[in-house]
Amino acid sequence: MKNHHDIVPYDGPPEPIPDTEPEEVPAFLPEPTEDRKVQPDETAALARVKDDPVILIRGLWKSFQEHEVLRGIDLHVKKGENVVILGKSGTGKSVLIKCLVGLEWPDAGTIDIFGRDIATLSYSEMNALRLRVGFLFQNAALYDSMTVRENLAFPLRQHKKSLSKEKKEALINEMLGDVGLLDSIDLLPSRLSGGQMKRIGLARTLILRPEIMLYDEPTTGLDTGTAHEISDLICRVKKKYNISSITITHDMPCARITADRIILLKDGIVYAEGSYADLETSEDDWIRSFFY
Amino acid sequence: MQPILNRYRRTRLRVQVKKSRLKAYLYKAGDLTAFMLRFFREVFRPPYEWRETFYQCYLVGYKSAFLISLTAFIMGAVLTIQSRPSMAAFGAISLIPGMVAVSVVREIGPVITAIICCGKVGSRMGAELGSMRVTEQIDAMEVSAINPYHYLVVPRTVATTLMIPLLTIIADMVAFLGAWLAMNIHDTSTMRHFFQAAMAHLEFMDIFPAVIKTFFFGFVIGIIGCFKGFRASRGTESVGIAANSAVVTASLAVFIIDMLSAQITDLL
């Protein structure tokens, strides 16, 4: 475990891969399929790619007028890893993940996703990246004039035009099956409970098969049982689709169930980092105050 | 010395406040202009949202038709009833159909239609998009790589631009009907005779500029309604503010366009 008292405050993310050596570290390698076996010389590169961070944030600053929310955040997320970000209200957790998808723009610092600095992307490149990054909003943000089916069909209609109607319908049914809400397919969002809305929001995001998921307080406002179900769902989704994710939460049971690594934000900086068990037994009172 | 310094500081502060207000106003005006110009770039860019556009046309056109017809009917009747005594004093009752036709086609029809649509359509768009902004539905579109401007603003603005001229034509016709019925309170006139007399006084330059300006009315109502909704800040109060300022700003824009069009028509 690392925190600002004992080991180091935070040793920062790994060094980014220089663009000048693409032959040694390819940015993206196609996944091996039955038709295409991994070549021997690719094996080492593939192994290294798996260790490379899919999200790399360095020195991120963001302020709103005079109020500095983020003050030099360094953070990385590896492939298949779920990083939970904890912190008191107003420490900029949601702002941080909104910066990742271009809903907010940082004042300084760089955000690399899949090895590309998002500040250098054009509008269409940013949209291409957004297709690979899913975002579950705190209130699910379902389109309230559309039924559940239409909510799920909407992104498909926009991005998967080549899919036949039957395949789209099958995909919608599969996603609703995954979140256990197949029987709500024709309901309007106003007829759903908070937990159901979050599940549908997750299904709508997953239908585009993102490689990264950003969860903004997925269990806030839910009863203990439903919050537990959502946390389990996050784990199942991660396992099934091998998704890397960042989860913003105040809910410690959710953090315990879903986190591979926890990052604690305080006053706009990364205050401590470690596993749930490490942080729970920290000597720092402020860190332990989250757990008890 | 101190009171003078204090007065100086107060004056400087007042100037600073006024300067920042002016700056904020200019920023908003620039933002609205950029928002409007973006429409011309997005409207020709595929994919075309036909389904959403037809649905918005239905909401703007069909759903407003009754209210506009009723208002136009009353306006036509009132115009005839109130102008009759003056016209009778000059022995010019036969000119009432022409007077009604010119005033309805050139001014009353387009402006009444636009103002009703400001209230009915502009406020709906402001509140709808404002609510979508507050509940993060617009953000959800953006993070799903769906262009919210293309999906939400373009169909709504196209719908108002196309439907308000049609509604104006309907309003003109219904106002004639109201005027004809009002004419028959004191006098006797067949519908055919009334419409013939009305049309005889209408020229190309009465109809053409009036129709053209309704496209502009429709455009500003749609774009301002969407702009106010899109720029709603977080919080439920902002939805009400968006709806309210959409109506006020669009109504003002309609009157400014009307004045400009009157000046331009006068020059032709």
Side-chain angles (χ1 to χ4, degrees):
Chain A
M1 187 211 75
K2 291 174 264 179
N3 68 40
H4 79 302
H5 285 303
D6 38 48
I7 307 174
V8 277
Y10 175 57
D11 57 2
E15 283 299 311
I17 301 151
D19 293 340
T20 50
E21 296 173 2
E23 68 284 354
E24 286 181 23
V25 187
F28 307 106
L29 283 175
E31 289 294 323
T33 59
E34 281 183 11
D35 301 334
R36 183 189 167 283
K37 301 291 179 199
V38 180
Q39 300 303 308
D41 56 331
E42 284 180 9
T43 314
L46 263 176
R48 199 165 158 196
V49 164
K50 285 198 189 293
D51 282 343
D52 288 337
V54 286
I55 299 174
L56 181 62
I57 300 172
R58 302 175 69 83
L60 196 74
W61 283 74
K62 176 71 185 170
S63 57
F64 294 98
Q65 283 146 11
E66 301 299 308
H67 181 51
E68 285 181 339
V69 181
L70 303 175
R71 301 189 298 122
I73 296 274
D74 291 322
L75 191 153
H76 71 280
V77 179
K78 288 181 187 166
K79 189 162 174 57
E81 185 184 31
N82 184 21
V83 173
V84 169
I85 299 180
L86 292 174
K88 297 215 183 303
S89 296
T91 47
K93 303 182 296 297
S94 295
V95 173
L96 174 65
I97 57 167
K98 281 181 179 174
C99 285
L100 296 179
V101 285
L103 288 178
E104 299 281 356
W105 288 98
D107 301 332
T110 57
I111 299 169
D112 289 6
I113 300 181
F114 300 119
R116 294 196 69 183
D117 181 357
I118 64 164
T120 63
L121 300 180
S122 65
Y123 184 75
S124 55
E125 286 172 331
M126 187 67 199
N127 273 346
L129 179 73
R130 281 167 168 166
L131 288 177
R132 302 173 70 188
V133 182
F135 195 112
L136 180 63
F137 286 86
Q138 197 172 334
N139 298 313
L142 298 180
Y143 309 125
D144 49 17
S145 58
M146 300 180 189
T147 62
V148 168
R149 184 200 303 273
E150 288 165 341
N151 261 281
L152 269 71
F154 186 59
L156 291 179
R157 211 172 70 209
Q158 297 287 328
H159 299 299
K160 307 275 182 191
K161 292 191 180 100
S162 55
L163 280 184
S164 66
K165 203 176 171 186
E166 292 74 27
K167 279 188 179 167
K168 282 181 189 167
E169 195 65 25
L171 203 53
I172 290 168
N173 288 336
E174 185 198 332
M175 294 319 303
L176 286 177
D178 279 355
V179 297
L181 283 172
L182 204 49
D183 52 346
S184 306
I185 193 161
D186 290 318
L187 295 182
L188 280 167
S190 56
R191 300 281 306 277
L192 302 172
S193 69
Q196 287 174 323
M197 281 166 85
K198 293 239 165 112
R199 287 171 188 220
I200 300 295
L202 183 58
R204 186 183 65 183
T205 311
L206 290 174
I207 207 162
L208 291 174
R209 297 281 189 266
E211 293 160 60
I212 297 174
M213 271 300 301
L214 306 173
Y215 300 98
D216 189 3
E217 303 195 19
T219 54
T220 299
L222 303 179
D223 62 87
T224 318
T226 313
H228 198 280
E229 283 173 14
I230 296 286
S231 303
D232 281 342
L233 186 61
I234 290 172
C235 291
R236 280 210 309 276
V237 159
K238 182 190 148 195
K239 202 176 279 178
K240 183 171 178 186
Y241 300 105
N242 190 27
I243 288 174
S244 316
S245 53
I246 294 181
T247 307
I248 305 290
T249 188
H250 294 284
D251 181 20
M252 294 316 292
C254 170
R256 184 173 47 78
I257 294 168
T258 60
D260 294 320
R261 187 154 53 93
I262 293 179
I263 284 175
L264 275 167
L265 292 191
K266 187 183 181 187
D267 299 330
I269 57 163
V270 175
Y271 184 79
E273 179 206 4
S275 69
Y276 186 92
D278 288 342
L279 294 175
E280 193 181 22
T281 52
S282 166
E283 289 170 9
D284 187 313
D285 290 342
W286 187 81
I287 296 173
R288 273 189 288 111
S289 70
F290 280 88
F291 296 84
Y292 301 106
Chain B
M1 194 64 190
Q2 192 60 32
I4 296 172
L5 271 178
N6 282 345
R7 193 180 299 166
Y8 167 72
R9 282 192 194 116
R10 276 202 301 273
T11 313
R12 201 177 63 172
L13 198 68
R14 236 177 273 147
V15 169
Q16 274 176 351
V17 168
K18 275 187 183 162
K19 257 188 183 174
S20 62
R21 274 186 196 158
L22 181 70
K23 233 175 164 179
Y25 174 77
L26 289 175
Y27 174 79
K28 272 184 194 167
D31 192 20
L32 175 59
T33 310
F35 193 85
M36 268 185 198
L37 294 177
R38 190 177 168 191
F39 172 82
F40 298 104
R41 203 179 60 203
E42 299 275 356
V43 71
F44 300 110
R45 184 182 286 175
Y48 304 110
E49 299 292 345
W50 295 114
R51 208 170 78 160
E52 182 66 10
T53 306
F54 285 132
Y55 179 63
Q56 290 300 325
C57 285
Y58 164 78
L59 288 181
V60 175
Y62 181 75
K63 291 274 184 179
S64 309
F66 176 74
L67 182 64
I68 283 167
S69 302
L70 184 66
T71 315
F73 181 87
I74 294 167
M75 289 308 296
V78 168
L79 189 65
T80 307
I81 292 165
Q82 292 202 335
S83 60
R84 192 185 175 281
S86 310
M87 300 294 265
F90 290 101
I93 287 178
S94 62
L95 292 179
I96 288 178
M99 190 268 310
V100 169
V102 171
S103 48
V104 163
V105 169
R106 287 182 75 142
E107 207 54 48
I108 294 172
V111 172
I112 289 289
T113 307
I115 293 300
I116 289 172
C117 285
C118 281
K120 193 171 186 301
V121 179
S123 64
R124 180 179 63 79
M125 287 179 181
E128 188 183 14
L129 298 194
S131 164
M132 288 183 79
R133 171 66 76 195
V134 169
T135 54
E136 296 180 313
Q137 291 176 52
I138 292 178
D139 289 345
M141 279 187 192
E142 253 175 71
V143 298
S144 310
I146 296 163
N147 181 348
Y149 192 101
H150 198 273
Y151 183 75
L152 297 171
V153 179
V154 172
R156 282 167 174 75
T157 310
V158 167
T160 52
T161 310
L162 296 178
M163 288 298 110
I164 287 180
L166 284 179
L167 287 171
T168 305
I169 293 168
I170 294 169
D172 289 351
M173 291 297 116
V174 177
F176 285 179
L177 189 69
W180 170 69
L181 286 174
M183 187 87 178
N184 279 282
I185 296 172
H186 296 290
D187 308 294
T188 308
S189 170
T190 62
M191 188 186 263
R192 189 176 171 185
H193 179 257
F194 184 89
F195 273 78
Q196 270 178 348
M199 291 302 172
H201 285 85
L202 284 177
E203 293 174 4
F204 176 75
M205 283 309 285
D206 293 321
I207 300 168
F208 184 68
V211 171
I212 295 297
K213 76 179 173 188
T214 56
F215 284 100
F216 286 93
F217 288 167
F219 176 72
V220 294
I221 291 167
I223 206 87
I224 289 173
C226 293
F227 173 76
K228 293 293 179 184
F230 242 63
R231 293 291 182 267
S233 51
R234 312 285 172 189
T236 44
E237 191 190 6
S238 67
V239 178
I241 293 170
N244 181 270
S245 62
V247 177
V248 173
T249 316
S251 307
L252 193 65
V254 162
F255 285 118
I256 291 170
I257 290 170
D258 193 44
M259 189 186 71
L260 289 174
S261 112
Q263 295 293 319
I264 292 166
T265 314
D266 194 43
L267 291 174
L268 295 174

